[in-house]
Amino acid sequence: MKETPLSLCEKNFVIQAIKQNQRLDGRLNDEFRSLKINYGSDWGSVIVALGETKVLAQVSSELGEPKATRPNEGILHINVELGPMAAPHFEAGRNCELTVQINRTLERTFKDSRAIDLESLCVISEERVWMLRVDLNVLNHEGNLIDCCSVATLCALAHFRRPDVSVIEDEIRIHTSAEKEPLKMVMHHYPVCVSYVIFDAGRIAVADPTVAEERTSDTQMIFGINSFEELCCLNLGGSSLTSPTLLLQYSKKAAKHAKNVVNQVKKSLENDSEAREAGKKVGFAECLRQNTILSLGEERLVLKLRNFTFNGITEDDEPNKKIGGITEDDEPNKKIVQGKLYSNPHYKPDTKWIPEAASDNSISLESDTDGSENLQGTVKECLKLSDVQADFPISKQKHAIKQITNSDSEEEEKVIL
């Protein structure tokens, strides 16, 4: 199944919104989505959610022969799988261009930077070493897969425990977790990837892009940075090479964000280890009971449109302006009667305003209330008794109130302002 192409109207809408520092999900151009990490009951099993982008990572190990060029080092292999579960246009069991790009970027970030001590995986030199395999299964693709996969790889490797072994007369014995405590991975540093996409010929950079922003952008800029703010991997292309100022500016922002992500990863590892030591239930089943793993549970924000006119009133006007008789904050079942707002749409007030002559500064108010009521106090108190709310100037509230009876059938009250 081919990917549905974006129309010209969709592309222009995304570009114009980004130029105004607005995005479809309510974020700013330099704002990242929330990161959630949930560990499974097995060692090295984790689900990482970056917004609505979700990746499942699992680390496995086995004994094997080392490479001839590096006989004293173990082997690390990273595999990314993109199937129809991630997006309908991905085919199962077939590598696409995006899969190859993610695999190569993760290998440069973790293997070439020597984030893991591969020498600690050696059991017998030139004969047996541990071979680690990180399987990344994309559960949902909503943009910025490389960042989500890098965090999932880091969490899975830091969470993984390999079984202990003993060598007796060239015989290797693998101990179970009941016999000996599994061993943690030795990691020199914690690298993660931070991605930006470029718009407007290299003038604007957008952090943590969505699918629509990735497909609309000119190019992508990927930084592989560890917690020490050291650059481990850099992937550039297109118009990003023509703006060195933009590159240096966002490399500093990426370093700060990478440090925050690593701190969140370390905190999640500590919480998981404390829960296991306390004997609490851990794993994906417990996360489902606690509703910490949700399918497409990200809240969607409404984009505020500018220069939008409705019934002659623009959005830039005062927020309490009435549009079609109802304000923005009003409920749909409210009604406007003679400029006044009532919560009941069938409500009809029993008072009416009687206009006076232009030369007279008085306002006549006709009411069905009993004429024996004694109106005292300010103008607001008088209007409250007749269920009418009017906006009078404060300077005129100190005038007197005169009550005049003109007929036997009904009472008329004149408020002399």
Side-chain angles (χ1 to χ4, degrees):
M1 181 178 179
K2 292 184 179 180
E3 187 177 7
T4 304
L6 286 177
S7 64
L8 185 60
C9 294
E10 291 175 320
K11 292 182 179 179
N12 292 336
F13 183 82
V14 173
I15 293 174
Q16 293 300 324
I18 288 175
K19 288 182 179 180
Q20 298 178 8
N21 197 17
Q22 291 186 349
R23 302 168 75 173
L24 300 184
D25 52 3
R27 292 180 292 154
L28 301 179
N29 289 346
D30 57 349
E31 188 176 352
F32 293 84
R33 290 176 289 183
S34 60
L35 180 66
K36 298 180 182 179
I37 303 173
N38 296 286
Y39 295 97
S41 57
D42 297 333
W43 294 112
S45 179
V46 62
I47 291 180
V48 175
L50 183 61
E52 293 183 2
T53 301
K54 294 179 174 61
V55 176
L56 169 64
Q58 177 65 57
V59 180
S60 57
S61 62
E62 62 178 358
L63 290 175
E65 295 182 359
K67 295 181 179 180
T69 56
R70 298 182 181 275
N72 298 328
E73 294 183 358
I75 299 175
L76 175 63
H77 180 67
I78 300 176
N79 180 43
V80 180
E81 294 183 4
L82 288 173
M85 182 182 293
H89 61 274
F90 292 128
E91 297 182 7
R94 185 174 181 179
N95 291 337
C96 59
E97 183 179 356
L98 181 60
T99 306
V100 176
Q101 179 187 1
I102 295 175
N103 276 326
R104 292 179 178 177
T105 305
L106 293 178
E107 287 180 356
R108 291 200 304 267
T109 304
F110 288 92
K111 292 177 63 176
D112 297 350
S113 66
R114 306 189 71 82
I116 300 177
D117 186 9
L118 296 179
E119 294 183 356
S120 62
L121 301 177
C122 179
V123 179
I124 300 178
S125 180
E126 300 181 358
E127 293 184 9
R128 286 289 182 270
V129 294
W130 283 108
M131 302 174 63
L132 299 182
R133 179 185 175 91
V134 183
D135 291 304
L136 300 171
N137 202 338
V138 180
L139 304 179
N140 189 50
H141 176 31
E142 284 295 333
N144 201 8
L145 271 180
I146 183 63
D147 287 18
C148 192
C149 289
S150 66
V151 176
T153 304
L154 176 62
C155 294
L157 290 174
H159 187 257
F160 180 68
R161 303 287 189 273
R162 64 175 178 85
D164 196 2
V165 297
S166 59
V167 181
I168 303 174
E169 296 180 359
D170 296 337
E171 181 182 355
I172 301 175
R173 181 185 176 186
I174 302 177
H175 300 280
T176 61
S177 58
E179 296 175 350
K180 287 188 176 181
E181 189 72 19
L183 302 178
K184 295 177 59 177
M185 299 297 300
V186 180
M187 302 190 66
H188 298 302
H189 57 90
Y190 291 75
V192 293
C193 293
V194 183
S195 300
Y196 292 89
V197 289
I198 310 300
F199 288 89
D200 198 11
R203 297 183 182 89
I204 302 176
V206 176
D208 191 11
T210 59
V211 176
E213 293 168 351
E214 287 180 347
R215 299 175 63 184
T216 311
S217 63
D218 300 333
T219 185
Q220 194 172 18
M221 183 168 51
I222 302 175
F223 298 96
I225 305 178
N226 59 13
S227 58
F228 303 107
E229 299 184 0
E230 298 174 345
L231 187 64
C232 304
C233 173
L234 181 61
N235 187 9
L236 301 176
S239 61
S240 61
L241 298 176
T242 62
S243 180
T245 305
L246 185 70
L247 179 63
L248 294 175
Q249 177 184 359
Y250 281 91
S251 63
K252 297 179 181 179
K253 294 183 178 180
K256 294 180 181 179
H257 176 69
K259 188 174 182 179
N260 296 332
V261 171
V262 171
N263 292 335
Q264 184 176 353
V265 170
K266 291 181 179 179
K267 185 177 180 181
S268 64
L269 291 170
E270 293 177 358
N271 295 337
D272 182 77
S273 61
E274 291 176 358
R276 292 176 184 269
E277 291 177 358
K280 298 181 181 179
K281 293 182 179 180
V282 294
F284 297 143
E286 185 65 22
C287 294
L288 290 174
R289 294 191 190 96
Q290 298 177 1
N291 291 332
T292 57
I293 298 180
L294 301 176
S295 177
L296 302 179
E298 189 73 15
E299 295 182 358
R300 296 182 180 272
L301 300 179
V302 179
L303 181 63
K304 181 181 180 181
L305 301 177
R306 293 180 178 179
N307 302 326
F308 182 75
T309 304
F310 181 74
N311 288 350
I313 300 178
T314 61
E315 192 184 21
D316 296 334
D317 294 340
E318 297 180 2
N320 57 354
K321 290 264 187 178
K322 294 181 176 57
I323 301 177
I326 301 178
T327 60
E328 297 177 357
D329 299 333
D330 294 338
E331 298 179 359
N333 60 347
K334 291 186 178 181
K335 181 179 179 181
I336 302 297
V337 179
Q338 295 181 353
K340 302 300 178 291
L341 181 63
Y342 298 94
S343 59
N344 188 1
H346 303 290
Y347 175 75
K348 294 182 180 180
D350 53 0
T351 59
K352 62 181 180 179
W353 293 95
I354 300 177
E356 295 291 333
S359 59
D360 192 2
N361 294 328
S362 63
I363 298 178
S364 177
L365 179 65
E366 179 178 335
S367 175
D368 293 340
T369 55
D370 189 7
S372 61
E373 292 180 1
N374 186 14
L375 301 179
Q376 298 178 355
T378 62
V379 175
K380 288 186 177 180
E381 295 175 350
C382 178
L383 295 176
K384 184 177 180 182
L385 293 175
S386 60
D387 293 335
V388 178
Q389 296 179 358
D391 297 333
F392 285 96
I394 301 177
S395 60
K396 296 182 180 181
Q397 294 182 5
K398 298 182 180 180
H399 291 281
I401 300 175
K402 295 183 178 180
Q403 181 176 355
I404 302 175
T405 304
N406 295 330
S407 62
D408 299 335
S409 59
E410 60 180 10
E411 301 288 335
E412 289 188 357
E413 299 167 359
K414 281 193 176 182
V415 181
I416 309 300
L417 301 181

